Amino acid sequence: MTNYLIKNGTVVRPDAEAPEAGETADVLVVDGKIAAIGPDLRPENPERIETVDATGKLVFPGVVDAHQHWGIYNPLAEDTLTESRASAQGGVTTALTYMRTGQYYLNKGGAYADFFPEVLDASAGRSYIDYAFHLAPMSKQHIGEIPDLASGQGVTSFKIFMFYGSHGLHGRSTSQSDFLMIPEDERYDIAHFEFVMRGVQRAREQYPELAEHISLSLHCETAEIMSAYTKLVEQEGTLSGLAAYSASRPQHSEGLAVTIASFLADETGLPNINLLHLSSAKALKAAMKMAAAFPHVNFRREVTIGHLLTDIDNVNGLGAKVNPPIRPREDVEALWEHLLAGDIDWVVSDHACCKDEVKFGEDRDDVFAAKSGFGGTEYLLPGLITEGTRRGLSLRRIAQLTASNPADRYGLPGKGRLTVGGDADIAIVDPARTWTVRAAESESTQEYTPFEGFELSAAVTDTFVRGNRVLTDGAVTGDPTGRYLARPY
């Protein structure tokens, strides 16, 4: 393994004791770990160390992108390779990717005891970055497996998709039993959500040494509201495109789901709740009210870079269809207001590579025929620096939102910070390089991007994963040396 001396960069550290604006310093990387941070470092054996000049650049902790979906539309082995390369382009050094039984992903049901080893086998040896998995308990059997998954497989985070019981992944659906692949006598409904929460809490009680890192994440949309509004939007026929899709999954559907989830967390005594990809003013209003109503619940609130940078009018095409939808500009501004107020805990990509031939229906202009989800991990850090600093977001806060906060919550205390003795997960960023987003320049196999043509004013130049240089001067380099991270790591 090559050792590195990163010279004269502005080192950005998320912790309070670090300088707010960063410090000009060197970072010494030895055997995959950070050996020293300080000005004018002089290692004992300089001939064995490669020097990287970071003058004028920012040295960030590697991004912990806590919300990706490898294998949802493409084979998992393929996505692990290509989408981890795209991640490295954006300074992402650890990805946490959602996985479940049912249609998409591996397209099978059954126990996680059988399913999850296949997931690990398919991804092993193919990633350029480190990675972990969140799992969704879809059936009663899965709930019983939660303690073993946490203690034996290093999976400490779980997920509920609140709309799956009676609404399809891409819109209205009548084939949910086929989609979910659960026993015929079971239902994926609010009662199941409650029992999942009780199962997660039992795991926390059974393994108190893991309890801090065991959490439950929720996709908060309400199926009944969305089904009714989808019908209304289609019948009225006055809206089209992303405006129609946003109206079909209205903002108050999110707020209602947040409220239901919060009451269930209180009822079940589960304190660690993550509210995923909140997209609207009403969703954040509900989230903040529930935090005040249940102060004993340790809520975390997530937004995506897609919902922060795009709206239904400025985005590039229907490739931006995603759940929850891209919203009107007033919702985007509300997200930024909450972000700047400190109400958001982390920012993610929700990266789900969906190739052109899969994404669009026969009528490419029909938003309801398109699949939901798109990639964007490669734009997460550059996009947040570009827009965030313009709005007054500090570099330290950006490091917290993209690295240390998700690392702490999801059982990765060895990640998310530039600290002596920690993993040398590093993203070097040129804050003065203006560039235009082009899908053709991404390592992702997705041929389009909703961010096409966006001008960003920060670019990741180099990425290191445990001291392995996987991005050099903007180009992916080396071999896929990423590891599966059993948590807590």
Side-chain angles (χ1 to χ4, degrees):
M1 173 179 283
T2 304
N3 297 325
Y4 294 94
L5 181 62
I6 301 171
K7 293 284 294 181
N8 299 321
T10 298
V11 178
V12 181
R13 297 203 255 184
D15 298 310
E17 63 271 15
E20 174 66 33
E23 56 184 316
T24 301
D26 303 341
V27 180
L28 178 62
V29 176
V30 177
D31 296 333
K33 300 288 186 180
I34 295 176
I37 301 175
D40 196 25
L41 294 180
R42 298 181 183 276
E44 292 183 3
N45 300 300
E47 69 280 359
R48 299 181 182 178
I49 295 174
E50 183 175 329
T51 298
V52 178
D53 185 9
T55 302
K57 296 178 181 177
L58 307 174
V59 182
F60 266 86
V63 172
V64 178
D65 190 351
H67 194 148
Q68 294 200 25
H69 294 271
W70 295 355
I72 183 172
Y73 295 119
N74 309 306
L76 176 57
E78 175 188 320
D79 263 5
T80 303
L81 180 65
T82 61
E83 306 317 296
S84 70
R85 290 173 64 92
S87 298
Q89 283 185 296
V92 175
T93 54
T94 301
L96 290 98
T97 180
Y98 285 93
M99 185 63 56
R100 59 163 173 77
T101 57
Q103 287 186 358
Y104 300 95
Y105 301 101
L106 299 189
N107 288 301
K108 59 175 61 179
Y112 276 124
D114 301 318
F115 181 93
F116 192 57
E118 291 189 40
V119 170
L120 295 179
D121 287 345
S123 53
R126 299 184 63 81
S127 179
Y128 278 77
I129 65 173
D130 288 347
Y131 58 97
F133 293 99
H134 312 283
L135 292 178
M138 308 300 293
S139 67
K140 181 179 179 181
Q141 180 182 36
H142 292 163
I143 295 173
E145 292 184 282
I146 290 173
D148 288 340
L149 288 167
S151 64
Q153 299 293 338
V155 178
T156 59
S157 48
F158 302 89
K159 183 177 182 180
I160 289 172
F161 303 84
M162 291 186 70
F163 68 92
Y164 270 3
S166 56
H167 201 77
L169 177 59
H170 313 297
R172 196 153 34 85
S173 173
T174 58
S175 60
Q176 289 306 92
S177 59
D178 294 334
F179 173 65
L180 296 172
M181 295 185 184
I182 59 177
E184 292 184 2
D185 62 344
E186 294 188 21
R187 293 180 58 82
Y188 193 85
D189 56 13
I190 291 176
H192 177 74
F193 307 158
E194 175 185 331
F195 298 144
V196 169
M197 289 188 177
R198 294 190 185 280
V200 174
Q201 179 58 14
R202 279 196 298 272
R204 295 181 73 256
E205 293 168 354
Q206 187 173 345
Y207 297 102
E209 71 278 11
L210 304 178
E212 174 188 356
H213 301 299
I214 295 177
S215 65
L216 180 67
S217 300
L218 296 106
H219 180 135
C220 294
E221 291 185 282
T222 314
E224 293 80 4
I225 296 292
M226 295 192 302
S227 294
Y229 273 75
T230 298
K231 186 175 182 179
L232 285 174
V233 168
E234 291 177 331
Q235 287 176 341
E236 292 176 358
T238 57
L239 295 174
S240 62
L242 296 174
Y245 197 61
S246 178
S248 77
R249 303 173 79 111
Q251 291 89 333
H252 70 276
S253 168
E254 278 190 278
L256 179 58
V258 167
T259 304
I260 293 170
S262 302
F263 269 79
L264 288 178
D266 175 62
E267 176 66 24
T268 59
L270 176 61
N272 290 349
I273 297 293
N274 312 308
L275 303 175
L276 302 182
H277 44 41
L278 300 171
S279 73
S280 64
K282 289 180 179 178
L284 263 300
K285 179 180 180 181
M288 300 311 296
K289 282 184 175 294
M290 291 301 98
F294 303 115
H296 52 286
V297 178
N298 188 358
F299 289 106
R300 293 289 186 269
R301 293 171 289 272
E302 172 190 286
V303 297
T304 79
I305 194 64
H307 288 106
L308 288 172
L309 296 187
T310 67
D311 60 49
I312 58 174
D313 296 313
N314 76 353
V315 75
N316 185 60
L318 296 189
K321 179 180 177 180
V322 69
N323 303 329
I326 298 301
R327 299 294 189 185
R329 173 50 51 174
E330 55 264 30
D331 283 309
V332 176
E333 293 303 320
L335 295 185
W336 277 107
E337 183 178 329
H338 281 281
L339 185 67
L340 292 168
D343 298 333
I344 305 302
D345 294 284
W346 53 77
V347 181
V348 298
S349 70
D350 196 4
H351 184 95
C353 175
C354 188
K355 296 177 183 176
D356 189 276
E357 67 268 20
V358 175
K359 178 74 177 184
F360 299 98
E362 188 172 330
D363 179 358
R364 293 179 65 91
D365 295 325
D366 183 359
V367 70
F368 292 103
K371 298 292 191 298
S372 299
F374 57 82
T377 187
E378 60 272 56
Y379 313 121
L380 170 54
L381 184 58
L384 191 59
I385 293 174
T386 297
E387 185 66 9
T389 55
R390 186 182 73 81
R391 291 173 178 262
L393 200 63
S394 71
L395 296 177
R396 177 196 292 174
R397 183 75 178 124
I398 292 171
Q400 292 169 349
L401 291 165
T402 60
S404 63
N405 285 358
D408 290 349
R409 178 61 148 195
Y410 287 123
L412 299 166
K415 302 290 188 180
R417 288 177 173 80
L418 299 177
T419 182
V420 174
D423 283 355
D425 292 349
I426 300 168
I428 301 178
V429 179
D430 186 343
R433 182 181 298 180
T434 298
W435 58 290
T436 302
V437 172
R438 302 294 182 203
E441 297 172 359
S442 171
E443 290 282 346
S444 173
T445 56
Q446 183 174 280
E447 304 94 332
Y448 62 90
T449 175
F451 306 104
E452 185 80 23
F454 279 38
E455 189 174 275
L456 303 182
S457 59
V460 177
T461 62
D462 298 85
T463 304
F464 299 80
V465 178
R466 285 177 289 99
N468 297 290
R469 196 176 190 181
V470 297
L471 189 78
T472 304
D473 296 327
V476 177
T477 51
D479 299 315
T481 57
R483 297 174 181 170
Y484 168 66
L485 305 177
R487 293 172 287 149
Y489 173 77

